[in-house]
Amino acid sequence: MLGAMAQAASKPSALIDTRVIYCGDNLEQLRKLPDACVDLIYIDPPFNSNRNYEVFWGETKEKRAFADRHASRQAYIEFMRPRCVEFASVLKDHPLCQNC
């Protein structure tokens, strides 16, 4: 059975090109996908923590920063809701969604 699962996992999708990394705003990219074509969605969204974050990146220690802030809780919900709707439309019948 494991061999059959591995073989099935290595078959390319007939719905989307799985050899491509799709870059851009996830809302715009999700709207381009056909319904029920995704097995797994992994998201790491902003969490509206109302904090500023800074990180020193790579060997050059480049400073990168971002603010995890929205105008209000309602503004955050309005930002996330359409994305969640799109997640639901592209997920297959037995999906897995991982949120970190």
Side-chain angles (χ1 to χ4, degrees), residues 44-72:
D44 187 9
F47 290 99
N48 198 30
S49 66
N50 203 29
R51 294 179 60 192
N52 292 319
Y53 293 93
E54 291 182 356
V55 65
F56 294 94
W57 194 261
E59 292 179 13
T60 62
K61 302 296 183 198
E62 174 188 350
K63 183 178 175 182
R64 295 185 181 183
F66 68 95
D68 186 20
R69 300 173 188 269
H70 289 265
S72 65

Side-chain angles (χ1 to χ4, degrees), residues 1-11:
M1 178 156 173
L2 184 57
M5 288 173 53
Q7 186 178 17
S10 66
K11 278 179 62 174

Side-chain angles (χ1 to χ4, degrees), residues 18-85:
T18 57
R19 300 166 298 170
V20 174
I21 296 173
Y22 298 90
C23 298
D25 182 288
N26 63 0
L27 184 58
E28 294 171 18
Q29 294 298 324
L30 285 163
R31 288 179 173 158
K32 296 176 186 176
L33 297 175
D35 289 345
C37 69
V38 174
D39 292 305
L40 169 71
I41 292 177
Y42 175 89
I43 63 172
D44 187 9
F47 290 99
N48 198 30
S49 66
N50 203 29
R51 294 179 60 192
N52 292 319
Y53 293 93
E54 291 182 356
V55 65
F56 294 94
W57 194 261
E59 292 179 13
T60 62
K61 302 296 183 198
E62 174 188 350
K63 183 178 175 182
R64 295 185 181 183
F66 68 95
D68 186 20
R69 300 173 188 269
H70 289 265
S72 65
R73 181 174 287 139
Q74 187 61 37
Y76 177 70
I77 290 168
E78 290 171 12
F79 171 80
M80 289 301 297
R81 178 177 284 131
R83 288 158 174 80
C84 293
V85 168

